[in-house]
Amino acid sequence: MNYLKNMNKTTRSNMVTYLMVIVAFVIVQGMIATGSISSSLKGQLVPICAYVVMAISLNLTVGILGELSLGHAGFMSAGAFSGVVAAQCFSQNIDNPVIVLILAMIVGGIVAAIVGVLVGVPVLRLSGDYLAIVTLAFGEIIKGIVMNLYVGLDAAGLHFCMIKNTLEMDGGKMLINGPMGLIGVPRIATFVMGFVLVMVCLFVIFNLVNSKSGRAIMALRDNKIAAQSVGINVTSYKLMAFVISAAMAGMAGVLFATNFSTVVASKFDINTSILVLVFVVLGGLGSMRGSIIAATVLTVLPEMLREFSEYRMLVYAIVLIVMMIATNNATVKNALDGFARKFSFKKKSEKGENANG
Amino acid sequence: MAKMVPIPSTGLLTERDLGKAPILEATHLGIEFGGLKAVDDFNITVGRTEIAGLIGPNGAGKTTVFNLLTKVYQPTHGTILLDGKDTHGMNAIQVNKAGIARTFQNIRLFNSLTVEENVKLGLHNHTNYSTLEGILRMPKYWQEEKRAHERALELLSIFDMQDLADHKAGSLPYGAQRRLEIVRALATEPKLLLLDEPAAGMNPSETAELMENIRKIRDTFQIAILLIEHDMQLVMNICEGIAVLNYGKIIAKGTPEEIQANPQVIEAYLGKKKED
Ligand SMILES: Nc1ncnc2c1ncn2[C@@H]1O[C@H](COP(=O)(O)OP(=O)(O)O)[C@@H](O)[C@H]1O
Ligand SMILES: [Mg+2]
């Protein structure tokens, strides 16, 4: 109990978020076991996890670092395409789909991180609107590249070419077929793996934010000149946040892509970037819990609203407005915080709350 | 040039610092903003444990001098020797690591972070664990965070602010924000502390307390302090050496007594004060 007492407000809030994700996972698993889940919702479980990871990773860039990025789907794309190619290669030698998926996610994450470095080094010198414009362009460039990419796999290994399919292959199969995108994707993504990815990303983000590096990232969001005046290297911390965020988007891309047998590059376009940004803004900048809720609700909602047919968009808009008010209104926020506090650890002396260890 | 009051060649070194090399030696420092010479041929020497003052009317270029010393702006002329080392080519971050810390006239705190986090950011380069050790919560993380926490509270206790540790910096009253900036700067373990109008917006009793604390900081940490201040009582009381700036140029240097008796200073600065 002493440990709980010494936990500060942030740690407790993080625990509530972990708990929320775990409870949701257990409930859904229960529904699956008892067969009480609708097939349409069941089909959305993996995409929900992918969007949740997209939202919390973008929140790292937008909410914690304070830079507006409009190209987050570009990293998802880079991860998805490289990860699936990797998965195809690995699955020739490895039978266990879980291991293949983990390895593919690692590859997708690394590729997205490398792309993040390439984009971040020049771009992070800019700020505000410029950064938004360049990241937007980057997302479209990635889409353009992938749409013109042909990758095949045969006994001799991987074959690449661009623009026109000139691959000379000895049997084997096409992995990426230009505008048709990824074809014959092994559908190895599972809800359990999605849950694990969400938890891992949450763990990394929370622990990063509550360390000296996270403090430095938030410090340069709050006041760059002051951060420099205490000897904090602005550029490297900006890049760190941006690249971690990109790597997570890449992993989300792998998870997302391996849930379908075909994936086209235009799935990861500006609309997806904006959609994820909407999750982040609605959930509250810097609030991971908010991002998770917003991503889940807004992914499930359009499906659930099908029965409203023509009123669908109206109801969707109303939900957006209500969420915006709920997450950005101080009174509502305080009430929710107070509720969460009471709910989590009932007896807490005032002293313990302020002592912080 | 001819009109300038002769500058003592020893600068402002106090007796106890005379035997040691000065911590700061700036010579012929200058910067222009689109033709305007905001600071011109600025020379100053600050002793190792000296409290020195930089005064002058509004717009004289005092804050600009701080911005030059801390490399917020790169000087177009002159050299800055910190502890005998030329800071030429260093950026703001490197200058802080080399030993200059500062506060800002228009307060620059990390407003959305807590008081303690603000101080811990000052301790950033003295908190030794890597990002990976932080994410994986290795023993080093816990050790160093505990040390930073204790050190932060210790530093906050200089101004009796430990109880505010969990408050958001942006929610503090004005005076407390100024004090927090000083604590954050001190946390970086500077050899030279630059304070830009530390008493601005404080009431007389807060100012008196601040004065005591500035002395206490110098005595405890054995560092040099260069401060810009309009409160003449504070300046004359705690500064051992004073330089007066007007239109970007130094017009006088000396002890508080010498400055108070200097006719040019009275004309440029104190004279103006009398009018209003
Ligand atoms: N970045 C800048 N660009 C243009 N002019 C500047 C800049 N910074 C300062 N100045 C000018 O330099 C002069 C000195 O300003 P400052 O150093 O802030 O004065 P003080 O701190 O003594 O009141 C002022 O005329 C101001 O307008
Ligand atoms: Mg000023």
Side-chain angles (χ1 to χ4, degrees), chain A residues 268-340:
Chain A
F268 312 107
D269 63 357
I270 174 75
N271 290 320
T272 304
S273 293
I274 300 286
L275 181 70
V276 176
L277 187 63
V278 167
F279 298 158
V280 172
V281 173
L282 281 186
L285 291 180
S287 161
M288 298 303 150
R289 201 188 309 159
S291 288
I292 295 170
I293 296 171
T296 309
V297 170
L298 294 180
T299 309
V300 174
L301 202 62
E303 280 299 314
M304 305 239 297
L305 292 179
R306 267 192 204 287
E307 49 197 289
F308 289 87
S309 58
E310 64 255 51
Y311 299 113
R312 206 174 102 169
M313 287 322 287
L314 182 67
V315 177
Y316 190 81
I318 290 171
V319 171
L320 283 187
I321 293 168
V322 170
M323 280 188 79
M324 193 154 66
I325 293 170
T327 50
N328 294 306
N329 182 300
T331 326
V332 179
K333 228 183 201 166
N334 287 342
L336 283 177
D337 273 0
F339 180 71

Side-chain angles (χ1 to χ4, degrees), chain A residues 3 8-11 14 203-235 237 240 244 351-357, chain B residues 72 92-94 96-97 100-102 104 107-113 116-118 120-122 124-131 134-137 141-142 145 148-149 153 163 165-167 181 184-185 188:
Chain A
Y3 178 70
N8 63 25
K9 231 164 97 186
T10 331
T11 319
N14 294 351
F203 178 84
V204 170
I205 292 176
F206 280 154
N207 285 359
L208 175 73
V209 168
N210 285 302
S211 73
K212 63 178 266 206
S213 309
R215 278 197 299 268
I217 291 165
M218 292 186 286
L220 56 98
R221 166 195 69 192
D222 278 12
N223 202 312
K224 193 176 130 184
I225 291 183
Q228 286 175 321
S229 85
V230 292
I232 290 170
N233 192 332
V234 173
T235 329
Y237 281 107
M240 179 192 289
I244 291 176
K351 273 262 170 72
E353 203 150 304
N354 286 333
N356 191 13
Chain B
V72 172
I93 299 156
Q94 291 161 331
N96 175 263
K97 287 182 181 166
I100 305 183
R102 71 175 291 184
F104 297 88
I107 301 172
R108 288 177 175 274
L109 285 170
F110 308 121
N111 284 329
S112 69
L113 303 184
E116 180 177 337
E117 284 169 328
N118 270 267
K120 279 181 173 173
L121 279 155
H124 186 84
N125 289 324
H126 306 283
T127 311
N128 300 311
Y129 64 87
S130 68
T131 304
I135 290 175
L136 298 178
R137 296 286 141 109
Y141 164 87
W142 297 107
E145 279 294 310
H149 168 72
L153 290 189
D163 293 341
D166 287 344
H167 289 247
E181 268 210 322
R184 183 183 66 185
T188 67

Side-chain angles (χ1 to χ4, degrees), chain B residues 33 36 105 123 161 192 203 207 239 261:
Chain B
F33 294 116
L36 170 81
Q105 183 179 349
L123 294 166
M161 288 174 73
L192 171 65
N203 62 37
T207 307
C239 293

